[in-house]
Amino acid sequence: MIFLLIGPPGSGKGTQGRILSEKMQLPFFSSGDFLRELAGKEDSFSRQIRLFMDRGELIPDTLMKELFLLEIKKLIVTHGGIIIDGYPRTLDQAKDLESLLLSLNISDSNIYVIELIVEVNELYKRLNERAFCPSCLRVFQFHENICNTCGTQLNRRTDDTMQVIEERLREYELKSRSLHEYFSNRGFLMTIPGEGSIQDIASTIDQAIKEKKVGINKK
Ligand code: ATP
Ligand code: MG
């Protein structure tokens, strides 16, 4: 099974993706984590990636296409499925991913797109208050100091500043918003309210997956 998490920055894709990954026993791929690791290196390619990320802009497809698709393909082939957070983010990326899934003989009934809906003021608040664990990459509120899973001192993301948050939300409206209609027309979309407790949202996702499966079996 293939699960794609979409929704604006701060909507909880990473948090819910990790929970789903444990439940489904499938690997978790975060485009943001993948890029942050690349951007942390000191070659010219990494420096280029870092420039876009620091401004809150998407990395152009010309730079990333092969790398993303290769990594995703590898994970699907070795584990039989995947949970993806943050890819696709544009219609072109969505089409590239669908071609890959087709080439791997994955049927439409095994593709689930989970869209998390969160009100914009809440997104600002969450991103402004966000910290992460540099070791296991889990997300926290920054008034917490230590990762509750591995005990590491928490950090803040350099793109979680007011100005860059605004740009990321603008990029989302401009380039990613249209994925809603695209995946809805393809029959893959499950729209989930992303406000409330983490556990409640996870249960709503579980329920939506079960209902979609029942719907598919009835066809
Ligand atoms: P969230 O708050 O849910 O983590 P986000 O968009 O704020 O979402 P990441 O997913 O961690 O943050 O992505 C961080 C940055 O990495 C983006 O601002 C963008 O520069 C780059 N990026 C991530 N995914 C993609 C992608 N699919 N295509 C192009 N650039 C991407
Ligand atoms: Mg994330």
Side-chain angles (χ1 to χ4, degrees), residues 9-10 13 31 35-36 57 59 86 89 93 130 157 168:
K13 302 181 294 288
S31 63
L35 288 171
R36 271 183 287 281
E57 292 169 20
I59 314 297
R89 262 172 149 96
Q93 291 182 0
R130 181 162 79 170
R157 263 171 59 172
R168 283 155 59 202

Side-chain angles (χ1 to χ4, degrees), residues 129-140:
E129 293 177 356
R130 181 162 79 170
F132 76 100
C133 171
S135 168
C136 70
L137 305 180
R138 284 179 172 75
V139 170
F140 298 87

Side-chain angles (χ1 to χ4, degrees), residues 8-14 30-33 35-36 52-53 56-61 64 68 85-89 93 127 130 157 159-160 168:
S11 56
K13 302 181 294 288
S30 156
S31 63
D33 292 345
L35 288 171
R36 271 183 287 281
F52 289 102
M53 294 181 83
E57 292 169 20
L58 293 189
I59 314 297
D61 272 350
M64 288 310 303
F68 273 138
D85 155 17
Y87 186 91
R89 262 172 149 96
Q93 291 182 0
L127 294 169
R130 181 162 79 170
R157 263 171 59 172
D159 59 350
D160 279 345
R168 283 155 59 202

Side-chain angles (χ1 to χ4, degrees), residues 20-61:
L20 200 58
S21 153
E22 276 185 26
K23 261 184 214 154
M24 298 288 169
Q25 293 290 296
L26 287 174
F28 175 65
F29 174 79
S30 156
S31 63
D33 292 345
F34 179 79
L35 288 171
R36 271 183 287 281
E37 202 187 321
L38 274 183
K41 305 198 170 120
E42 273 313 326
D43 50 81
S44 71
F45 180 67
S46 305
R47 268 195 294 275
Q48 250 181 305
I49 290 180
R50 203 152 60 220
L51 278 180
F52 289 102
M53 294 181 83
D54 286 347
R55 288 199 296 256
E57 292 169 20
L58 293 189
I59 314 297
D61 272 350

